[in-house]
Amino acid sequence: MTPEGSFHSNNMAAFCKGRSRFKRVLLQQTLIRNLSGKFDYDLVVIGGGSGGLACSKEAAQFGKKVAVLDYVEPSPKGTKWGLGGTCVNVGCIPKKLMHQSALLGTAVKDARKYGWNIPTPVSLDWATMAEAVQNHVRSLNWGHRVQLQDKKVQYLNVKGSLVDEHTIRGVSKAGKETIMTAENIVIATGMRPKFPADVPGAAEHGISSDDLFWLKESPGKTLVVGASYVALECAGFLTGVGLDTTVMVRSIALRGFDQQMAGLVTDYMDSYGTKFSWNCIPKKVEKLASGALQVTWDDAGPRGENRETFDSVLWAIGRAAETGMLNLEKIGVALQKESGKIILADNEASTVPNIYAIGDIGKDRPELTPVAIKAGKLLARRLFGASRELMNYDNIATTVFTPLEYGCVGLSEEEAERRHGKDGIEVYHAFYKPLEFIVAERDASQCYIKVVCLREGDQPILGLHFTGPNAGEVTQGFALGFQCGATYRHLLETVGIHPTCAEEIIKLNITKRSGLDATVTGC
């Protein structure tokens, strides 16, 4: 036999031996479970993101035996990270820190107007910023591992999939298999960025948000493809730290958000220095001999086909549900065909009674970290405590951390009008100038507040929208009012804190219907 034939035979023998062992272990586990009615764990959570960690720790508080399976599949560029999921590693946390870095750059410019003597030019060292951000993320990774250990939750760095409704197969990076059983299983694997399959060179030469926050060197001149909040946030802080940045938009920005507010956000970004290519569809990405990336795209306008070179191309065109490798459909878990998301009942249950899902992986669930955390905690309390409380998915506040931040809670004006009719709603609004902008002589023409109300009675508030400094902090406070049934009358009865941007909300008195000038003048 040739050496090649011998190698092939040995490999096949090892594969068959491994498969035989897997079947033997699985049979033993199934027999033990069927005969004793006992499981290795009360709960196994597949996915170590914010929701999965919250659910597992909450379950352990009830004295239950819990395990978390988490494995990060490297991005196409090879980027990987530790425990904590998207938010900690490649989402909310590093995004907010880099956004803060960009805000500091703006503050330096403002400071000169206040009399600070700051030498010019001022520039950012990407490597220093990236190292500081990445070190903080690593500290969070470690902190999550310590918390699991303290709460006696077993953490397994393995890729989990389902064998049957109570059996999980875990595979380590080295290929070692672990079989375990659980009375209850929670899927919390989240989503990962998509690359377009119809654009040659997109995945080969491009990056996603999974890579951006772990770059050691500056991405340089960057094309951001997409107009989601991820796209605009990334483009915003890249512009803010001094990089030439262009956003390529197929149709509209911030789909699903109030479109008047979306226009204000992109108008501000445009004046801030971010370039926009509207109604454009990328066709291919090619790497030139110089190392630059040449992007070819179709322009719906008169220019037709265009080409330009960039140092980096960041794809932010949406995210795909991480359900493909879990074997869910084989055991009866129903998925939405288009998205691959798990179809869930109000109590987060899938179509298999003991299998649940939380977070982005669930159909019609808001793709927000605090939502996954709260849903995970409530699920654990229902499974192992005396609680019957369900997650309330209505009126969840959020903020887009673009250079001019946009916070909102409740319905967009378009959705309110669709539900109640144009004559059934009243919209109070104002253009205001933050005190922070005045001495700095910054343009405040996109700083705007809109409160959408029912027109009847005390005018219950349906939606609140705010663009301006610290939008997240402002919106979080008013979000509490939504849980208490806030009305426009409640706003009028509230005394403001002066001088703040938030107080402008409780001073609203001009309606869109009136046609009057909504610009705030004076205190």
Side-chain angles (χ1 to χ4, degrees), residues 4-33:
E4 290 83 358
S6 175
F7 177 77
H8 177 73
S9 297
N10 289 340
N11 266 0
M12 285 300 296
F15 173 76
C16 292
K17 183 178 180 182
R19 186 168 61 178
S20 175
R21 177 187 172 278
F22 171 70
K23 288 182 176 179
R24 189 167 62 250
V25 171
L26 177 58
L27 179 61
Q28 289 172 351
Q29 292 275 5
T30 304
L31 286 172
I32 292 170
R33 186 187 77 203

Side-chain angles (χ1 to χ4, degrees), residues 37-97:
K38 293 182 178 179
F39 302 91
D40 298 327
Y41 296 95
D42 298 299
L43 174 67
V44 166
V45 178
I46 302 178
S50 301
L53 293 174
C55 184
S56 66
K57 290 185 287 186
E58 191 71 18
Q61 299 279 74
F62 293 97
K64 300 301 177 179
K65 190 174 181 183
V66 182
V68 170
L69 279 56
D70 187 64
Y71 182 88
V72 178
E73 194 70 51
S75 75
K77 287 295 182 184
T79 307
K80 54 186 177 180
W81 50 84
L83 182 64
T86 296
C87 173
V88 167
N89 295 282
V90 289
C92 317
I93 300 301
K95 174 271 301 288
K96 182 71 180 293
L97 291 173

